[in-house]
Amino acid sequence: MLIDAIVIGSGFGGITSAALLAKAGYDVLTLEAASELGGCASKFDRAGYRFSAGATVGMGFEEGGMLKKLFEELGAPLPPMKKLDEIMNVYLPDRTITYFSEKEKWYKEVAYKFDSDQDRVFSFFEEVFKVSKILQIFVEKRNIFPPSTVSEYFQLLKSMNVKLLGLAPYLTQSVQDRLSKYGLTENKPFMTFINGQLLDSVQTTATFCPSLLGYMALSIFHKGAFYVAGGLASIIHALAESYRASGGELRLRHKVVSIAKQGEVWTVMTKRGQVFRTKQVIMNAPIHNVFSLLEPELHQNLVIKEQKEREKDAWGAFTLYIGAEPSFMMKETSSIPFHQFISSYDSPLSEGNQFLFSMSQEGDTKFAPPGKRSITISTHTNVEKWWERERYENIKEEYTEKIIDSIDKKFSSFSSKIDVKMAGTPVTFKRYTQRAYGKVGGFIPSGKYSFLKSYSPNSGVEGLWFCGDTVFPGAGSLGSSLSGWIVADAIKGKHPEGDM
Ligand SMILES: Cc1cc2nc3c(=O)[nH]c(=O)nc-3n(C[C@H](O)[C@H](O)[C@H](O)COP(=O)(O)OP(=O)(O)OC[C@H]3O[C@@H](n4cnc5c(N)ncnc54)[C@H](O)[C@@H]3O)c2cc1C
């Protein structure tokens, strides 16, 4: 039997493609290696708690937001969630910044916390908001980028307008270049704050971050950040429900081990030896995995080259999953779900010096028993050291202690309120999400032009597509889902019956 499309992986990208294609009437099979859906946005249950495996902050659910539109397109109800006014507390070594969603409140906070530079900071954010509003028009077009075929170039040109063309000068600048135009680069607390935000969203700091990418990231909380009941896994499950309701088939614990092509037909083989045949393969495993899955004869036809991919950097994550009683925080503070800790201005914003602490909210019984909270903590880490067997347990202990000490410094009774504590490392991520070496979060932008060097969802080989955070538009649940939508659009356009 020839299946219309096979999706490999049920992360944000894969499940988005699968749900949209099934809704459009395609016969779709999704193969997922793990026993849980969602990859980096999945969940697991231990000792009476549910823990978010990685992703926690919801974005794109506001009116007109991409994920809100996706649910509308699917005719599916959005899971319960709360739009946050106070999104996050950022604890810098000498001050706490509350990230307000509403612009007026945000400007007041900025004026108070960065008072010596408040006018420059205002002007910088005004530019961020203005530019990202224009960019949003481009993002909404769901173009394949970078283009490689005549029709992709044509679509891209068609979506250009005068306002977008006016952004051309930003293409050759980093966020750091723009900040230096505003005279802000010497303001250490402000730069650390900006770098912390950029690292969490686009995986790099102002120096290496293309300005357009950085501006989109820095404006996103002001469009809307959300606390989703039961975590982002609830979104994945709602998309999977829509997919199944449209007739899509989903098989968990089905790891794909090889993808080959004979003529027009792709064969996808699982670890159990099952073979499935299809005309379209959508690979939601990251680009880091592509060369080990795809038959060697096809490597040369790919737009992506193996050596270049290996040279591109990506982070790993060290995570702590903690079940605790929340009285270590004041009630007002514990009603803010997200807390970013930065311990030192003088160390890199990774390896435990910077981490995101996400806590389930009071009454969210999907996450924790009454009176308790589920906490996921994550810090960026270099993957390499985690593959040295002899050092593994020691580093794990060292990072656990370092992070818990930092929290204890802010909330002195924290460690005494812990019920359950587990650590996750790049080795854990490799095991549960299949991501090669445990690399997560997409590629690290390497400079002002790296935006133009993104990998396209179109593999260059007829019938093979990529989606997820390693292809355009990249990082995060929102970017991954959008790439899945772009792929579904492209397949629908190519389907013999056209848009069904
Ligand atoms: C610690 C951490 C915190 C994060 N925080 C946030 C956040 O707060 N907000 C946010 O928006 N984003 C966040 N992100 C980023 C976000 O989680 C990811 O970018 C996004 O979920 C990636 O989706 P994806 O489509 O690339 O798929 P992935 O999450 O990589 O999932 C791919 C799926 O494919 C499956 N798979 C892989 N290979 C095979 C195979 N051979 N056969 C079958 N199945 C296979 C995997 O098991 C997995 O389920 C965070 C990421 C991490 C790691």
Side-chain angles (χ1 to χ4, degrees), residues 7-16 30-42 52-59 67 200-201 203 232 236 251 253-259 268-270 283-286 289 293 315-319 321 338 356 358 376-380 429-435 438-442 467-471 474-481 483-484:
V7 181
I8 302 171
S10 66
F12 257 100
I15 200 69
T16 299
T30 300
L31 300 169
E32 167 55 60
S35 52
E36 269 286 349
L37 300 170
C40 297
S42 73
S52 293
T56 52
V57 188
M59 285 161 280
L67 281 163
D200 260 0
S201 49
Q203 315 300 317
L232 291 189
I236 296 277
R251 297 197 193 183
R253 292 176 286 275
H254 276 62
K255 181 175 171 176
V256 171
V257 289
S258 84
I259 309 168
V268 172
M269 192 195 276
T270 67
M283 182 159 147
N284 182 217
N289 298 31
L293 286 177
W315 287 107
F318 174 79
T319 44
Y321 306 104
F338 308 114
L356 182 66
S358 305
T376 293
I377 297 167
S378 59
T379 186
H380 290 70
F429 273 92
K430 161 88 169 60
R431 180 164 167 210
Y432 290 103
T433 69
Q434 308 300 320
R435 299 182 67 115
K439 291 179 181 177
V440 291
C467 63
D469 58 18
T470 50
V471 297
S477 54
L478 200 53
S480 302
S481 187
S483 69

Side-chain angles (χ1 to χ4, degrees), residues 399-462:
Y399 276 48
T400 305
E401 265 175 35
K402 184 175 179 180
I403 288 174
I404 290 183
D405 277 358
S406 301
I407 304 171
D408 272 340
K409 278 194 189 119
K410 187 76 207 163
F411 304 109
S412 58
S413 62
F414 174 66
S415 40
S416 67
K417 305 293 175 191
I418 295 177
D419 274 352
V420 190
K421 182 178 73 189
M422 285 158 288
T425 70
V427 176
T428 325
F429 273 92
K430 161 88 169 60
R431 180 164 167 210
Y432 290 103
T433 69
Q434 308 300 320
R435 299 182 67 115
Y437 312 103
K439 291 179 181 177
V440 291
F443 294 104
I444 304 175
S446 55
K448 49 184 91 170
Y449 302 112
S450 50
F451 182 56
L452 301 171
K453 295 183 208 152
S454 311
Y455 286 138
S456 164
N458 184 350
S459 74
V461 182
E462 180 75 27

Side-chain angles (χ1 to χ4, degrees), residues 61-130:
F61 300 110
E62 66 283 358
E63 213 43 63
M66 186 252 144
L67 281 163
K68 171 104 164 94
K69 280 194 194 159
L70 174 65
F71 275 79
E72 285 164 2
E73 177 89 8
L74 294 169
L78 263 179
M81 61 179 71
K82 185 180 165 210
K83 184 167 191 283
L84 300 166
D85 178 26
E86 292 171 59
I87 301 166
M88 182 183 280
N89 266 356
V90 181
Y91 306 113
L92 294 178
D94 59 351
R95 67 196 81 187
T96 296
I97 294 148
T98 301
Y99 213 126
F100 289 96
S101 172
E102 211 218 291
K103 280 185 198 160
E104 293 316 311
K105 284 191 189 162
W106 172 237
Y107 279 145
K108 253 194 198 158
E109 177 73 359
V110 160
Y112 182 49
K113 300 292 166 57
F114 301 110
D115 55 344
S116 60
D117 270 333
Q118 58 170 282
D119 291 341
R120 297 163 200 253
V121 173
F122 278 5
S123 308
F124 172 70
F125 270 100
E126 281 293 294
E127 179 175 286
V128 167
F129 296 142
K130 198 177 89 195

